[in-house]
Amino acid sequence: MRRAKPGNQRPKRVRPPGAVVLQVDPQSAAERAGLKPGDLVTELDGTPVRDAADLQLRLALLRIGEVAEFAVSRPGGAVTVRAAMAEREPAARSK
């Protein structure tokens, strides 16, 4: 087995913590709150978001009508977005 010489190793790719918004459904709570594709959600209600699975799990635990606060990083700076949790539309569920 050959080992790489020190200095010849590739730097490991480090993924920043958070969840990237890939799509925002039209007329969804996310769209009304101002989330956009490409946004990086870094915190939910003041607690850091590790990755997309972490964010999905935590959102699933919120009740309809609860307001969540998202810390979002996007080109141009960081913003805070507040969204009231809503039931998903039937078309959004089937995608």
Side-chain angles (χ1 to χ4, degrees):
M1 173 185 229
R2 285 181 67 182
R3 294 181 184 223
K5 294 179 185 175
N8 288 346
Q9 296 174 353
R10 284 190 207 168
K12 288 186 179 179
R13 237 177 142 184
V14 178
R15 178 181 288 164
V20 176
V21 176
L22 299 177
Q23 176 182 337
V24 178
D25 291 328
Q27 301 175 354
S28 66
E31 182 185 60
R32 287 190 297 275
L35 285 172
K36 301 174 183 179
D39 283 350
L40 177 66
V41 179
T42 58
E43 292 182 7
L44 175 61
D45 291 330
T47 304
V49 171
R50 288 188 309 270
D51 53 28
D54 179 39
L55 179 61
Q56 288 174 336
L57 174 66
R58 290 169 51 195
L59 289 174
L61 296 173
L62 296 174
R63 294 189 176 129
I64 293 172
E66 263 187 90
V67 176
E69 188 172 278
F70 301 83
V72 175
S73 178
R74 63 172 57 142
V79 296
T80 300
V81 174
R82 292 173 53 87
M85 297 300 103
E87 220 173 320
R88 293 183 73 185
E89 295 296 321
R93 283 190 207 128
S94 64
K95 287 183 181 177

